[in-house]
Amino acid sequence: MPEQIITLDIDGQAVSVARGCTVAAALAIARNHAAVVTRRSVSGELRGPLCGMGICQECRVTIDGVRHRLACQTICTAGMSVITGGSAQ
């Protein structure tokens, strides 16, 4: 059976990933495997996935309007909207 591909929106960019992919993995794909920045700390530091298992909570993003979702623990769904708020600029 061929792999099913779904598309979601990450910071306004359409990203296609394999069904079953986590949001953290989709972020890496969207950024072409560059450093993934998901948010800024209260002091302005860039933050991103660290542990990959939900302990550190550094991968928090807004998914479909719900803030503080863990990208490493959330499976992508078709049409999902992800906002990172971690612009590296």
Side-chain angles (χ1 to χ4, degrees):
M1 176 192 295
E3 188 173 52
Q4 293 182 335
I5 303 297
I6 61 169
T7 301
L8 63 150
D9 180 278
I10 298 177
D11 292 333
Q13 173 187 357
V15 179
S16 295
V17 297
R19 184 172 303 280
C21 181
T22 65
V23 172
L27 289 166
I29 291 166
R31 305 294 189 256
N32 197 20
H33 304 285
V36 175
V37 176
T38 56
R39 64 185 187 88
R40 288 184 178 269
S41 70
V42 293
S43 64
E45 278 187 272
L46 298 175
R47 310 304 287 180
L50 180 64
C51 74
M53 57 187 193
I55 303 292
C56 72
Q57 299 196 10
E58 293 296 336
C59 64
R60 290 178 289 165
V61 294
T62 299
I63 298 175
D64 294 333
V66 179
R67 297 177 65 203
H68 304 297
R69 299 281 308 273
L70 298 179
C72 73
Q73 296 294 300
T74 305
I75 302 299
C76 296
T77 59
M80 173 184 276
S81 173
V82 178
I83 299 172
T84 63
S87 174
Q89 287 120 21

